Amino acid sequence: MTEFTPEYIENFHQIIARRDEPEAFKLLQDLHPADIAELHKELSLDEAEFIYLLLDSEKAAEVLMELDEDDRKKLLKHLPSETIAKQYIDHLETDDAVDLIRELDEDAQEEILSHIDDVDQAGDIVDLLKYDEDTAGGVMGTEMVVVNENWSMPKCLEEMRKQAEEMDEIYYVYVVDDDFRLKGVFPLKKMITSASASKVKHVMKKEPISVKTDTPIEEVAQSFEKYNLVAMPVIDSIGRLVGRITVDDIMDEVREQAERDYQLASGISQDVETTDTVFAQTAARLPWLLIGMAGGLANSVILGNFEKGIAANPAMALFIPLIGGTGGNVGIQSSAIVVQGLANGSLSLRNSGKQILKETGVALINACMISILVFIYNWIRMGSSDITVSVSLSLFAVVIFASIFGTIVPITLEKFNIDPAIATGPFITITNDIIGMLIYMSISTALF
């Protein structure tokens, strides 16, 4: 990995300013596509266009896919459609080409597709664009080595050589029947050890692990992890082989999903980057801040209704932050465990009842420990009093409620196909804060 010092970047700016193509080309030749993508962050749009036109088409295509999505969109809008089609799309695998084209509007998509010389490639891209981007069909590529189950070893080897010439990486060789239905995977080791007279179907590994085109990407990722795969075939509704997904595609999707979930959990309603405009970042962050403000106002209304009780027992106010903070923390812990379980497949809607019972048990232990410790602290500090009892009882009730609520909410959201990551953020904190205040004030009023 190249280290881009301020001196290096300044020198690069000067080379571009002089339009010194030989010197710029020399520097770019020594850089990995990922390093050029990192360098892109230090360049203006005009400077970026200058260096891209110096790269050979294959390397330029790799650099383009390494860029952040926002930077890629800006660059694509700045380049002619014909350049995008002939210098980039033609040198990308279909799954990467589809990802790139998805980022453009429909008019730009049609214009770029019209400039692609390879009609078959354009057709594959059009077919893949029809799939939902969050399904197996939306991330699969069509480049793969495919052999027929009835072929002999010599013919199989000959066909594999022909198909391999157009591919960068070969993970598996897939076996199909005459109707192109997936029948198995052909281990490369068998090519060496099996007799030349054998047919493929006699040595192939039958019933390979596969997914359908409409399988959600989360389930695909779970299968990759469970079976330690580097690639997986994708079939249609009648079992025909239509593509394959590689582990690098899944890793990209998992990373993007993790980033979205983290932002949702932090109260950010849209996918934003540090490079986004002030307006874009404000639009993504303001909704939950407004909801939080509403929650705070609701708390003030609750406290206002118990104003006389607080005035008569001022010590009550000392424990308001403790009640609210404890409820929020407990709720986030519970919801985070459930969201994680739903994401990695260790928890499903079918066994959610067991998780609720388990969380109730954990809540009882935590509630007892916390309320006892606080009771001892208040007893030492204030002696036997109504405040000592009310705070401990309130904490016990709040921890129980927050734990169960934090467990049920993400499960319910998952049932209605809403991202459960929302439950690990401000939603849980605000709700538990309000309910916690009601519990504390109600118990205190009853005792006083």
Side-chain angles (χ1 to χ4, degrees), residues 347-401:
L347 175 65
S348 66
L349 296 178
R350 289 195 303 270
N351 60 9
S352 57
K354 293 181 180 179
Q355 180 61 29
I356 294 173
L357 289 175
K358 182 185 294 184
E359 190 60 36
T360 303
V362 173
L364 285 169
I365 297 173
N366 287 339
C368 288
M369 292 296 295
I370 291 172
S371 59
I372 289 172
L373 289 173
V374 171
F375 182 86
I376 294 172
Y377 171 81
N378 284 337
W379 182 280
I380 295 171
R381 184 183 175 195
M382 297 184 293
S384 178
S385 67
D386 291 337
I387 290 291
T388 301
V389 176
S390 69
V391 171
S392 295
L393 287 177
S394 298
L395 277 172
F396 184 89
V398 166
V399 170
I400 296 294
F401 170 80

Side-chain angles (χ1 to χ4, degrees), residues 197-216:
S198 300
K199 287 188 177 182
V200 172
K201 64 182 177 182
H202 296 146
V203 295
M204 70 180 183
K205 181 180 178 181
K206 298 180 180 180
E207 298 181 0
I209 297 165
S210 62
V211 291
K212 292 187 176 181
T213 53
D214 59 353
T215 303

Side-chain angles (χ1 to χ4, degrees), residues 189-424:
K189 181 180 177 181
K190 293 290 186 180
M191 179 63 66
I192 302 172
T193 59
S194 299
S196 60
S198 300
K199 287 188 177 182
V200 172
K201 64 182 177 182
H202 296 146
V203 295
M204 70 180 183
K205 181 180 178 181
K206 298 180 180 180
E207 298 181 0
I209 297 165
S210 62
V211 291
K212 292 187 176 181
T213 53
D214 59 353
T215 303
I217 200 66
E218 292 85 359
E219 293 183 21
V220 178
Q222 291 168 13
S223 295
F224 265 87
E225 181 181 13
K226 181 178 181 180
Y227 300 108
N228 296 317
L229 300 174
V230 294
M232 184 184 294
V234 183
I235 59 177
D236 62 14
S237 57
I238 59 174
R240 291 176 302 189
L241 180 65
V242 292
R244 59 93 186 99
I245 300 174
T246 57
V247 67
D248 57 319
D249 298 323
I250 287 299
M251 290 304 297
D252 289 340
E253 293 296 325
V254 169
R255 176 182 56 79
E256 291 176 6
Q257 183 61 48
E259 290 175 353
R260 286 195 296 268
D261 288 349
Y262 181 78
Q263 291 189 349
L264 279 174
S266 302
I268 300 176
S269 57
Q270 302 173 23
D271 186 18
V272 294
E273 303 286 346
T274 54
T275 54
D276 287 339
T277 64
V278 172
F279 178 78
Q281 293 200 31
T282 301
R285 295 156 67 176
L286 187 58
W288 273 114
L289 293 178
L290 292 176
I291 293 173
M293 180 195 70
L297 292 175
N299 263 334
S300 68
V301 172
I302 293 171
L303 293 174
N305 291 331
F306 295 93
E307 185 177 359
K308 292 181 180 179
I310 296 174
N313 301 275
M316 286 176 59
L318 299 176
F319 299 96
I320 290 175
L322 174 64
I323 300 294
T326 302
N329 289 336
V330 170
I332 288 176
Q333 286 181 343
S334 300
S335 60
I337 291 173
V338 174
V339 170
Q340 184 183 38
L342 292 171
N344 61 30
S346 61
L347 175 65
S348 66
L349 296 178
R350 289 195 303 270
N351 60 9
S352 57
K354 293 181 180 179
Q355 180 61 29
I356 294 173
L357 289 175
K358 182 185 294 184
E359 190 60 36
T360 303
V362 173
L364 285 169
I365 297 173
N366 287 339
C368 288
M369 292 296 295
I370 291 172
S371 59
I372 289 172
L373 289 173
V374 171
F375 182 86
I376 294 172
Y377 171 81
N378 284 337
W379 182 280
I380 295 171
R381 184 183 175 195
M382 297 184 293
S384 178
S385 67
D386 291 337
I387 290 291
T388 301
V389 176
S390 69
V391 171
S392 295
L393 287 177
S394 298
L395 277 172
F396 184 89
V398 166
V399 170
I400 296 294
F401 170 80
S403 296
I404 297 175
F405 185 72
T407 303
I408 291 176
V409 168
I411 291 174
T412 304
L413 292 175
E414 176 75 8
K415 184 176 182 180
F416 290 99
N417 295 320
I418 301 173
D419 194 333
I422 296 173
T424 60

Side-chain angles (χ1 to χ4, degrees), residues 36 40 45 47-67 71-101 103-104 112 115-117 121 125 143 168:
I36 298 176
H40 177 279
L45 205 53
E47 288 175 326
E49 183 180 11
F50 173 77
I51 67 169
Y52 273 91
L53 294 176
L54 296 178
L55 298 171
D56 63 80
S57 298
E58 186 173 347
K59 191 169 187 178
E62 291 180 31
V63 172
L64 191 66
M65 297 311 298
E66 292 286 348
L67 291 178
D71 291 335
R72 186 163 56 242
K73 284 181 180 179
K74 291 175 184 177
L75 184 61
L76 290 175
K77 289 180 180 179
H78 201 65
L79 294 173
S81 297
E82 187 172 359
T83 301
I84 296 172
K86 297 184 181 301
Q87 293 194 18
Y88 299 146
I89 300 296
D90 280 352
H91 298 275
L92 290 174
E93 292 189 347
T94 51
D95 53 341
D96 289 331
V98 169
D99 289 341
L100 187 150
I101 291 179
E103 297 170 2
L104 305 174
I112 290 171
H115 289 295
I116 297 177
D117 294 329
Q121 183 190 24
I125 292 172
E143 295 84 3
D168 295 328

